[in-house]
Amino acid sequence: MSKIIYTNPAFLPPIEEYVKYLEKAYQRGSLTDHGILLDELEQRLKKYLNVQDLQCVTSATTALQIAIKALGIDGGEIITTPFSYVATTSAILAEKCTPVYVDIEPDFFNIDANKIEQAITPQTKAIMPVHIFGRACNIEKIEEIAKKYDLKVIYDAAHAFGAEYNGQSILNYGDISVVSLQETKLFHTVEGGIMTAKDPYISRQIDLIKKCGHEDENFIRDGINARLSELHAAMGLANLDHIDENIEKRKILSETYDELFENSVILPKKQQNLNYKYPYYVIVLHSTEQRKTVEKALWDEQIYPWHCYSPTLNTLKYLKTTQPCPIAEDLVSRMLMMPLYVELEKADIERVCDVVLRTVKNA
């Protein structure tokens, strides 16, 4: 029987390593409320990611909501991408704001910065781009527009853990950046998120909001409970011990895909000014029907890719208003996320590619 291959199961460190960190929390007798493990994790992540400020919260979705609150955005429109997980839109709606969708560009699948300006209205308060699949948005153009129109920028960097743009952490751009630490990510705490902000005042607001606005015996402002537990922090610490070797393994596997897929499927273009960390591997087929055929062929071989981010967010039925985004809608219909995780071997990648290439050739 052939090995079952999934898209991106969670990396799990040896359980004894996880338990070793957990024992510290047990000895202290506290499992939440910013314990010693969370403090250690945040300090190590700040150093690893080379950022001045970093706070962990319960999820990236919650982090996006906190970002909107912390920046004082009270209603209005937020320009964003139609090509992302639904959480990007959910966070905007949860904060009583209106998402306005700008189509993506076809090379890197990020929001097309050249189309943002025409979507700005008097009600626009912020831009929420997504560094999709860990590739950088057009940061320079977005910051130019934000400065011109006095808009806040919240980067959904859910996929961009560890990425560096123009020689510095990608998290150092925008007013706030948010990273997902959910189990399918390159680095995870089972569930969780990271928030970074350059302005100390905004960092202070994030800290207050994530703990219900509570400090000592005082309630300073409105907030929510978004404190990451010691159990989650322990998983993060155990995983952080393996992060560099995991990235290197994913790099080798991705390069194997590149070599085997060359000129047979459409791949996102590489960015010369980005230190990429290989969080995912996606391909685009030449038609919707070809994507469906390839997907079925893989499933028949017990290989389970993901038809990612379908439908596009601008087509969600519960939105009051929407905007057409033909490039995103077309790409999503033809896109598949390929298996990529550290337990895969080169032979597994060759098997996946063989099924795809044979199917494409026959189709």
Side-chain angles (χ1 to χ4, degrees):
M1 182 177 177
S2 298
K3 174 181 177 180
I4 299 175
I5 300 177
Y6 296 102
T7 305
N8 53 351
F11 170 78
L12 292 175
I15 193 167
E16 60 271 17
E17 295 181 16
Y18 179 54
V19 171
K20 184 177 178 181
Y21 282 110
L22 278 181
E23 287 174 345
K24 295 182 181 180
Y26 268 69
Q27 290 165 5
R28 185 171 181 266
S30 177
L31 298 179
T32 187
D33 201 17
H34 211 110
I36 56 172
L37 297 184
L38 180 55
D39 184 64
E40 181 182 350
L41 177 62
E42 288 184 343
Q43 294 305 315
R44 285 183 61 184
L45 285 173
K46 275 199 288 189
K47 183 177 180 181
Y48 185 83
L49 297 172
N50 194 23
V51 293
Q52 290 295 113
D53 174 75
L54 179 147
Q55 301 184 54
C56 291
V57 294
T58 50
S59 74
T61 310
T62 304
L64 291 173
Q65 291 182 240
I66 293 174
I68 295 170
K69 287 180 181 291
L71 293 171
I73 300 169
D74 184 16
E77 298 174 352
I78 297 180
I79 292 173
T80 190
T81 173
F83 185 55
S84 178
Y85 183 58
V86 71
T88 307
T89 287
S90 297
I92 294 172
L93 294 174
E95 293 306 310
K96 309 303 181 186
C97 296
T98 301
V100 174
Y101 299 99
V102 169
D103 208 353
I104 64 175
E105 44 73 35
D107 291 338
F108 308 112
F109 313 150
N110 285 316
I111 190 170
D112 190 337
N114 293 315
K115 296 177 181 177
I116 290 176
E117 201 163 1
Q118 65 195 50
I120 295 173
T121 74
Q123 287 72 48
T124 306
K125 301 291 184 65
I127 309 169
M128 189 184 286
V130 178
H131 298 305
I132 202 72
F133 305 134
R135 289 182 168 80
C137 296
N138 187 342
I139 289 172
E140 292 85 357
K141 181 68 174 179
I142 290 170
E143 296 200 347
E144 175 190 320
I145 294 169
K147 184 176 181 180
K148 179 178 177 180
Y149 291 93
D150 192 25
L151 301 175
K152 303 299 184 183
V153 178
I154 303 168
Y155 278 111
D156 182 341
H159 302 167
F161 181 89
E164 294 174 330
Y165 183 76
N166 286 337
Q168 66 170 305
S169 172
I170 202 169
L171 306 181
N172 285 330
Y173 297 94
D175 293 286
I176 296 176
S177 286
V178 168
V179 179
S180 174
L181 302 182
Q182 193 265 347
E183 67 164 350
T184 61
K185 301 302 185 288
L186 172 68
F187 169 78
H188 75 87
T189 57
V190 183
E191 289 282 0
I194 290 171
M195 301 185 69
T196 64
K198 292 180 291 188
D199 186 331
Y201 173 79
I202 300 302
S203 294
R204 162 82 169 148
Q205 298 310 304
I206 291 170
D207 182 54
L208 286 170
I209 293 168
K210 76 182 182 187
K211 54 187 183 184
C212 295
H214 187 193
E215 188 172 69
D216 298 324
E217 297 303 316
N218 301 309
F219 294 94
I220 311 299
R221 60 158 297 157
D222 65 309
I224 57 177
N225 180 10
R227 297 170 296 182
L228 195 71
S229 79
E230 292 288 81
L231 278 67
H232 292 85
M235 180 61 75
L237 288 166
N239 279 336
L240 197 55
D241 293 336
H242 295 270
I243 187 64
D244 288 332
E245 63 188 91
N246 286 354
I247 290 172
E248 182 60 26
K249 180 66 181 292
R250 297 169 79 100
K251 178 178 184 288
I252 292 169
L253 294 173
S254 296
E255 289 173 345
T256 302
Y257 270 130
D258 286 345
E259 181 181 346
L260 294 172
F261 276 145
E262 187 176 13
N263 300 323
S264 298
V265 297
I266 301 165
L267 304 175
K269 289 187 177 179
K270 292 180 170 57
Q271 294 175 310
Q272 298 303 315
N273 53 350
L274 178 71
N275 184 357
Y276 190 60
K277 298 300 180 180
Y278 306 92
Y280 298 107
Y281 196 94
V282 296
I283 65 172
V284 180
L285 285 306
H286 296 283
S287 68
T288 303
E289 287 306 312
Q290 189 179 72
R291 189 267 305 164
K292 290 178 180 178
T293 303
V294 168
E295 188 174 22
K296 183 181 183 305
L298 288 166
W299 276 66
D300 288 345
E301 296 293 329
Q302 294 189 300
I303 300 168
Y304 301 105
W306 181 35
H307 181 207
C308 47
Y309 305 142
S310 177
T312 54
L313 301 180
N314 63 305
T315 64
L316 293 172
K317 302 299 183 185
Y318 49 79
L319 295 174
K320 292 181 180 179
T321 61
T322 188
Q323 301 80 39
C325 297
I327 295 175
E329 292 166 36
D330 172 59
L331 278 171
V332 162
S333 75
R334 298 185 286 125
M335 185 175 292
L336 285 176
M337 183 178 288
M338 295 288 101
L340 182 63
Y341 50 99
V342 297
E343 290 81 6
L344 286 177
E345 302 295 336
K346 183 178 179 181
D348 298 322
I349 301 296
E350 291 172 342
R351 178 180 157 212
V352 172
C353 291
D354 180 63
V355 175
V356 173
L357 295 173
R358 280 191 288 107
T359 306
V360 167
K361 181 179 179 180
N362 292 335

